[in-house]
Amino acid sequence: RRHPCGKLVPASVGETQREVVATVLEARQRHYGVTERQAKDDRLGTALGRVAFAGKITADQYAAGEMYGEIMARNRAVMGLPPIHPHSASGLLLDEGIFGRSTAELDPDYVAKIRKRAAAAILMLRVADSDATAKTGRRPSVLVHAVVCYEVDAAAWGSADLRNLEHGLETLVTLFGISG
């Protein structure tokens, strides 16, 4: 193939954006047993999103879980801890201080604000542990943290664990003042 000016078109170095998206959509269809249209749903990209996609939690609970994940990620960052899931090998090297890490000090007020928000969320989940309706299964705080922060798949969880997950997320809905 040639350009209109006559120069040869170089061979493709890598996949195009369209090819990458098509590969992801095909994998989602195979892995989650969804249609092509459903595979385009962004919620399938996270464990919490897949629980919401399956209809096991409400949109407000999903939003509260997303907000909890952001707060916990920011808290890890201001505490100087690496993210739980680095997006790349170079991100991991940056986080471990091997190269290019910023040594700038964070604003103490910002750090205090983030730490207070994280502490409030953790405290509310501890309260949810004590007043959970399902007395069997794991604690709501453990389940919420596992799904949101550690991407643990909840597809095979029992009904008691799912009720406790819902209860923990509903507590976060109340804390964050989310209303649909």
Side-chain angles (χ1 to χ4, degrees):
R1 292 185 21 197
R2 296 184 176 270
H3 289 288
C5 67
K7 287 187 176 182
L8 288 172
V9 175
S12 178
V13 176
E15 290 181 303
T16 65
Q17 180 74 13
R18 176 171 281 173
E19 292 169 336
V20 170
V21 169
T23 302
V24 169
L25 294 178
E26 288 171 15
R28 283 182 179 176
Q29 288 175 35
R30 277 192 324 273
H31 194 68
Y32 304 120
V34 296
T35 65
E36 184 177 347
R37 184 174 178 214
Q38 290 172 327
K40 293 179 182 177
D41 193 324
D42 288 337
R43 295 178 297 175
L44 290 175
T46 64
L48 181 67
R50 289 188 292 278
V51 174
F53 182 81
K56 297 182 182 188
I57 61 173
T58 66
D60 289 347
Q61 292 168 342
Y62 175 67
E66 290 283 300
M67 191 173 286
Y68 175 76
E70 289 175 21
I71 289 170
M72 290 296 108
R74 286 184 183 158
N75 188 53
R76 287 185 68 82
V78 299
M79 296 298 291
L81 301 170
I84 293 171
H85 298 288
H87 295 288
S88 66
S90 62
L92 181 61
L93 293 174
L94 284 170
D95 292 332
E96 294 300 322
I98 295 174
F99 65 86
R101 186 173 193 164
S102 173
T103 58
E105 291 294 319
L106 295 173
D107 179 34
D109 292 335
Y110 175 75
V111 172
K113 178 182 169 187
I114 295 299
R115 292 183 73 187
K116 282 181 186 176
R117 290 187 74 196
I122 291 168
L123 180 62
M124 285 300 286
L125 286 175
R126 301 292 166 132
V127 169
D129 288 348
S130 65
D131 64 0
T133 56
K135 296 301 176 190
T136 59
R138 294 172 284 178
R139 296 184 323 242
S141 62
V142 171
L143 297 171
V144 169
H145 200 74
V147 169
V148 174
C149 298
Y150 290 102
E151 290 290 321
V152 174
D153 192 17
W157 287 3
S159 60
D161 281 345
L162 288 173
R163 277 194 309 271
N164 283 341
L165 175 66
E166 283 181 275
H167 180 66
L169 290 171
E170 195 59 41
T171 303
L172 293 175
V173 166
T174 303
L175 173 67
F176 300 140
I178 298 172
S179 61

